[in-house]
């Protein structure tokens, strides 16, 4: 069971990272963007770390208060939940 959870978090964070980078490219090229609701759905379901790292790397959504405060808060929440699950 633990392996499944670890793989889930690895995959969802990799996907979140790629989606955030994709959205930054879309913003630069003025093409179709990823709606913020979908970004938040990815973050809430386990991908806040990947999204946070991508945002810092490509400087995307870093000035939006909801992302600059919300993603670190979600990271902490997920760490607490994971710690509780693996105790």
């Amino acid at each position: 069971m633990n392996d499944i959870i670890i793989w889930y978090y690895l995959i969802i964070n990799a996907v979140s990272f790629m989606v955030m980078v994709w959205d930054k490219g879309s913003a630069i090229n003025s093409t179709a963007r990823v709606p913020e609701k979908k970004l938040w759905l990815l973050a809430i379901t386990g991908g806040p770390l990947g999204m946070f790292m991508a945002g810092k790397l490509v400087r995307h959504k870093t000035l939006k208060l909801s992302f600059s405060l919300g993603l670190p808060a979600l990271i902490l929440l997920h760490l607490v939940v994971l710690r509780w699950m693996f105790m």
Side-chain angles (χ1 to χ4, degrees):
M1 181 67 164
N2 292 345
D3 288 345
I4 293 171
I5 293 169
I6 291 168
W7 278 107
Y8 173 78
Y9 270 94
L10 288 172
I11 291 168
I12 192 75
N13 277 287
V15 169
S16 295
F17 185 95
M18 291 184 282
V19 169
M20 193 72 147
V21 172
W22 174 285
D23 191 50
K24 174 66 175 190
S26 296
I28 291 170
N29 297 324
S30 298
T31 57
R33 303 280 305 275
V34 178
E36 281 192 13
K37 285 183 181 181
K38 290 190 179 180
L39 293 175
W40 280 113
L41 181 63
L42 280 170
I44 290 167
T45 57
L49 182 60
M51 196 167 287
F52 182 78
M53 290 171 37
K56 292 294 184 183
L57 181 69
V58 298
R59 296 182 181 165
H60 188 48
K61 302 277 188 195
T62 55
L63 296 178
K64 291 200 85 155
L65 197 58
S66 61
F67 280 87
S68 63
L69 295 178
L71 290 178
L74 276 175
I75 291 169
L76 288 174
L77 177 66
H78 279 272
L79 287 174
V80 168
V81 169
L82 285 171
R83 175 71 176 142
W84 176 77
M85 287 175 67
F86 287 113
M87 285 180 80

